[in-house]
């Protein structure tokens, strides 16, 4: 009986250790070295536009808040010319909460940052664009697990604009 | 009689030329070399925040629209630290129209650009800040003729924040 107890205990401890190991390793395993990372210092990128999505919008659950859209220098000329974007173009949405007070919509804390990143070869199945988003802008909290369903299905409607919703506002 | 006609004609031509000269010179004369000019390429400056002021706001007549606030590199560190701004700091508001469609507030054409520019000595009577704004962002269309009444009287309420309404949103 004593031997059996020790055996059960050892199995239980091993199982716990294996489980703990999985929990620790999983967040890293989910992200490969090739996955997009949240870009640093995007607030010095070219500011494309601001937008507010409020409760009246069907997009509120997924994208409600105050949007600031930026583009990196690689894509800036294509945005202004209205032509397809070159590889390594990155669009970034910095999405924040907002409060309304006396008719003023005031920006609050960050909800998420989201990028779309051009690589015609790598992301051929989703229009040449890769997508990722991070809760609170935190690189350890990626939100996109299925870019086709979560991103591309909606962006497909803008195929004639290289899948991009933003346009150049001089 | 002929001499008189020639004399009258000469006076008329001279008067026209002088008048034409005044019309040509006046837009420049109205602005001294010291007046603030609309800064170029501010959309690469640090983006401070976005804001919407809609019809429900008492500020709608003067400042209604979609605001994007930028700061030049001189002032960026002070914004982040929450300390008084150094001379040559420039805040810029890029104010655009907006339309609302299905709960989305979408940025439209530019209404004006406005700056506040720090120079403790030069603008000592208005908290150390100079102000100017331009209709449509056009340098030939300045809007501020009395900075005390049009700008400072409202900004005075923020004396404890160096007269600045914007705060740092990380």
């Amino acid at each position: 009986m004593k031997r059996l107890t020790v055996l059960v205990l050892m199995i239980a401890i091993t199982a716990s250790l294996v489980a703990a190991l999985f929990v620790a390793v999983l967040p890293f395993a989910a992200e490969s070295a090739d996955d997009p990372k949240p870009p640093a210092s995007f607030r010095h990128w070219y500011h494309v536009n601001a937008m507010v999505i409020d409760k009246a919008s069907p997009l509120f659950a997924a994208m409600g808040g105050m949007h600031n859209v930026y583009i990196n220098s690689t894509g800036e000329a294509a945005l202004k010319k209205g032509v397809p974007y070159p590889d390594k173009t990155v669009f970034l949405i910095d999405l924040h909460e907002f409060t309304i007070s006396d008719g003023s919509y005031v920006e609050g804390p960050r909800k998420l940052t989201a990028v779309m990143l051009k690589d015609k070869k790598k992301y051929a199945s989703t229009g040449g664009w890769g997508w990722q988003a991070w809760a609170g802008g935190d690189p350890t909290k990626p939100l996109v697990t299925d870019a086709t369903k979560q991103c591309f299905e909606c962006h497909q409607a803008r195929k004639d604009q290289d899948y991009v919703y933003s346009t150049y506002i001089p």
Side-chain angles (χ1 to χ4, degrees), chain A:
Chain A
M1 276 300 265
K2 259 191 179 172
R3 259 194 199 167
L4 191 64
T5 310
V6 170
L7 192 68
V8 167
L9 263 174
M10 279 180 69
I11 289 170
I13 288 166
T14 309
S16 307
L17 284 174
V18 169
L21 200 68
F22 260 86
V23 169
V25 163
L26 260 178
F28 300 96
E31 230 185 319
S32 86
D34 270 0
D35 282 333
K37 303 274 179 298
S41 67
F42 59 82
R43 271 160 85 166
H44 284 113
W45 290 7
Y46 184 82
H47 187 269
V48 180
N49 62 60
M51 183 172 62
V52 172
I53 292 182
D54 80 4
K55 282 174 188 169
S57 168
L59 295 169
F60 184 74
M63 298 291 275
M66 188 169 278
H67 293 236
N68 282 298
V69 182
Y70 300 83
I71 189 168
N72 70 352
S73 58
T74 308
E76 197 180 320
L79 171 76
K80 291 176 177 172
K81 285 181 207 156
V83 298
Y85 293 91
D87 276 2
K88 297 193 177 170
T89 292
V90 182
F91 275 95
L92 184 142
I93 296 175
D94 188 21
L95 179 58
H96 284 243
E97 314 267 1
F98 67 93
T99 52
I100 308 173
S101 157
D102 260 354
S104 287
Y105 295 58
V106 178
E107 198 174 320
R110 177 168 294 119
K111 287 180 77 177
L112 59 85
T113 55
V115 294
M116 59 185 285
L117 159 70
K118 189 80 179 267
D119 188 327
K120 284 186 281 287
K121 214 169 174 179
K122 185 173 170 188
Y123 303 116
S125 65
T126 50
W129 293 96
W131 276 273
Q132 189 48 278
W134 299 271
D138 182 339
T140 67
K141 295 176 181 168
L143 296 167
V144 175
T145 49
D146 183 340
T148 302
K149 276 195 183 163
Q150 288 170 268
C151 312
F152 186 59
E153 277 182 5
C154 193
H155 279 265
Q156 231 171 344
R158 290 282 179 137
K159 194 182 174 183
D160 58 342
Q161 284 184 45
D162 200 8
Y163 306 98
V164 172
Y165 274 89
S166 289
T167 54
Y168 177 47
I169 303 166

